[in-house]
Structure formats: structure tokens, C-alpha cells
Amino acid sequence: MKRLLALGLLSLALGTSVKAQVTERARPVEWEQLVPGARFMDRFLPMPDGVKGQAIWGADSVQNRYVDNGIELPDVSFWGGNILQTPDGKYHLYVCGWPEHSPKGHMFWGNSTIFHAVGDKLSGPYRVQNSIGKGHNPEAFRLADGRVVVYVIDGYYIADKEDSPVWMYQKFDFDARDRKIIEGLSNLTFARRPDGSYLMVCRGGGVWISRDGLSAYQQLTDKRVYPDVEGQFEDPVVWRDSLQYHLIVNDWLGRIAFYQRSKDGVHWVTEQGEAYMPGVSVHRDGEVEYWFKYERPKVFQDKEGRAVQMNFAVIDTLKWEDLPGDRHSSKNICIPLNKGLLLSVLNEEPVTPATKRIEVRIKAEAGFHPQTDVDVESLRFGSYNEVNFGRGCKPVKTRKDGDDLIVVFNGKGSGITSGEFAPKLIGRDVKGNLLYGYARLPYVDYAPALLSARRPIYDKQQNVWKVQVENFGLSASQPTEIEIYSTDKSLAKGEVAALAPYEKTELSLPSIEALATDTVACEVVIRSGEVELERVKFE
């Protein structure tokens, strides 16, 4: 209720015209029962203290902002952008922008320039050093060889280092692999995999993989991986930490974002609650920068891959009401995040409803001493479907192991199923601050094989189906079953032999019946036992 009230106050502050870009999405009733720490939004921390401007641009709702947070200039409208750090401790922000006095105001965004800005602190301020070329909605990432790629809509820039004076513009190649491209290829976001390959999610929610980040991106999915809810989705951001993949996608019309997790980047679970919404930019004294829209989220990760800061492109009014030379504009802001704990389950056997005790290691880190800092009685552990609602396992005892703390939980009510790959912990420290984290399970494969088929081709003369299967995963596959269906009728079946990562095979499967046509709408299912590894439709 407090969040919806904040939205109402913001709407009043900005005027009735906000309805043109706002649809108040109804939240599931169960979300009213979520506990602190359940929502990704609960991880946002107060912004570092900064300098407040006087007589600055912006609606009344953002006049209390820190002008030295992120990047802003009175004569430039900034948008998008993320940060890389170099060994000298400098932070490099790649952000796009255009003159605030442009003839079309904010709608001049199609003529954006990509700027390279540098800061001494992660939260800014960032100062423009140079421009690297035209483009919009940048996202920067490093290749395994250290080169830097700055993606922009329809292409990318590449250079040997972060502050290179010269950048080469090139275009990615995309192989849809006989699948329909979902809502086009724009607003791409990238996550580096452990072997140096890259997983990419496009605006429409399709998942693609490139062997090295530059070679052709190949599509694995045939439908979006976003939550199956009403929404106008865009602005995905994907990242991988030492345990799992994370994905946040924004419903720009509803101004609500959703948070998802995955162990392989293809199969996702959606956690309850808002990932973010207007009003997450809060000062230490409780004041709020009420930006009208928070878009283009990007994360800065620590050495474990955990998100420690989120950057947003923000604007103080409707985009098309930001006119040349007026009081409205946009900027990039930085908000720190609670990075979470490093956790691991010590049980060697899979956790089931019959498991009586679950042992969880809470790892000590610089500035965090779990043996003295954790309010053990506040901890709850188990499936996110339980813990997010205050349920789950309760602690029964603890023990020390070096600087780490081992917490033993009563296994009752964990909610952990065979499909669980990262059970969740929520609790508090002794000062009442949020503690949360996801635990590694020793029996889960976090680098699984990813078998994916291309469209089967029917050979009438031989009465066989020919189909190519490739392993896009990070480990070798086991022999698996493959079956081709049409309107729920089996057309062919066979076995896929073990494949090394990125290895492919051509199968020739005898057809169960002779067909009169070469082209048949069909569905391919790859399974291991009763577990479906891929199900894809070809029209």
C-alpha cells in the first residue's frame, strides 16, 4: 500500500498528463504477504550523500536530488549507460546523450552520441572525456582477451581498452536457427559465461549465445522467457554471478519491473514482488528523488559477480513533454545495492521433504563477520516460495568453522524440490539490517549441457527426418532422447549421443509414417528421462 501511495503522490506532483504513460498494474494478492527481503526492490540502499543543486532543471519532485550522483549536465540529456572499472581504480561510464535544446527535445534520442565518462567513485560524479560515435542505449562489456565492446542499437563499437581514443564500429551477426525472432533485435543485454562465451537477451525476451561475444549470436528459445503476465516489456538487464544468472525486465507502461533467476540462462523462475518502481532513489535522511520513469537498468558487479550498484536512465516527466530548452531533462543515476551473502549448503545428499537437518555455511567477508553480526533467530531458509512469505526452515543450532558460521536448520517446511538450484535465506543482522542470499547446492550442476535442435527436414524419398542438434552448454551432455511431433502425434524418435560443448550432430530419424509433403509444422522435444531439456515449435 505504501508503494502505491507513493505512486499516487508522484502522479499528483507531475500532473494528470502522466496517465498517457501509466497503467497501474494490479499486483497479485499474495504480494501483500511478502516479508522484507522478498522483493528485489528491498535490496536498494540509500544513495551516498552528495551535493544538492539550487535552481536546477527538473520537476518539483526531483529538486532535492544529488546533482553529483551519476552524470548530469544542464545542456545535455543523458540516457542509458553502464560502468566498467580499470585496475587504476577509475570507473568508466558509457552513456548516450543529445543536446537538451535539440529541436525535438527528448524525441531527438535517435540522434544520440555515445559518451565515455570517467569517475573516481562508483556513484559519480562522472565527467565526459570524449565521444566514441553515434548510437543509443549502450551496454559495455569486456571480452576474454580484454577488449571492450560497447553495444548500441543495430551495432557495436570495439576498442583495445576502456579509454581508447579510437573505436571501430561493427555489426553483430545473428542466426535465428529457424526460430522466429521475438520483437526484433534491439536493446540487447549481455552476460559473460565462465568459458568466455556470452549469453544475450534481446528486448523481446529471446535468449541467444555467442561463442566469444563477437561471433554470431545463435537463438535458443522460440518464445520470450519473461514472466507470463500482462505487460509492455523492454529494458532487460542480465548478469551472472558465481552461482546463477539474474534477469530484470521492465514493464514500461506499468512502471513495474520483474526479477528472475536461472542456473543456465534459458530456464527461468520469477520471484514475487517488484524488482523496482518509481521512488527507489532514496537519500540517507529519507528524502526521495521521485523520477517519473526509471529505465535502462544496468548493474555493476563485484568480484563474485554480485550486483553492488544499479544505474538507471531517469526522466522527470513524460518523454514527449521534455521540450527543447525547458525545465525538463534526463540523466543517469547510481543506486547502491545490498549485495547479499555467500552461502552454501553442506548436505551432500539432495534435500527432500524428509530431510531432517539442513546445514548452511555463511561465509565471512571483509567487513562482515557472521559469527558476531548475524541475528541467527531471524533467519529463514528454503525455497523462495516459502522464505519470501516468512515461512521456511528455522535455525536450531550453529557452529563455527574458521571465520565462517554454520547454521543448522530444521528441514521441516523448506519447500525445496528436485528442481531447486539456489534456495534462499532471509534474515537480519544484529543491527536490524537486511540479510539475504542464495545457497549453492553441492549436488546441482551449475554448468549444464544445453541441447538445442534446428528445424527438422523431412526427406520423402527416404521417409526419414533429418535434424541437427547442438550443445550450447558448458559441459558435455549425456545421451538423450529426441522426438518430433505434429499436432500431438509422434512422427519420429531417436537418441542424441553425448555431445561436447559446442559440438553438433546430424541425426537421421526413420519416420513413423510416410508423409505427402516436405514441409510440416512440428514440435521437437529433447528429454532426459522425464525431464524436458528443450521443447521448440517450428511453424
Side-chain angles (χ1 to χ4, degrees), residues 164-217:
S164 176
V166 179
W167 294 74
M168 291 181 59
Y169 178 79
Q170 299 182 2
K171 287 182 175 288
F172 290 122
D173 292 324
F174 301 98
D175 182 355
R177 301 182 62 251
D178 311 312
R179 291 145 168 81
K180 180 180 178 181
I181 296 177
I182 307 167
E183 295 184 26
L185 287 167
S186 66
N187 293 2
L188 311 183
T189 181
F190 305 82
R192 184 174 173 177
R193 305 202 301 173
D195 68 343
S197 61
Y198 270 85
L199 179 142
M200 179 268 283
V201 179
C202 66
R203 172 178 175 165
V207 174
W208 304 64
I209 287 178
S210 166
R211 185 74 179 268
D212 57 13
L214 292 183
S215 59
Y217 280 85

Side-chain angles (χ1 to χ4, degrees), residues 322-338:
D322 176 9
L323 303 176
D326 66 0
R327 66 179 298 206
H328 302 299
S329 192
S330 56
K331 66 171 291 186
N332 187 282
I333 66 171
C334 305
I335 308 177
L337 294 169
N338 181 330

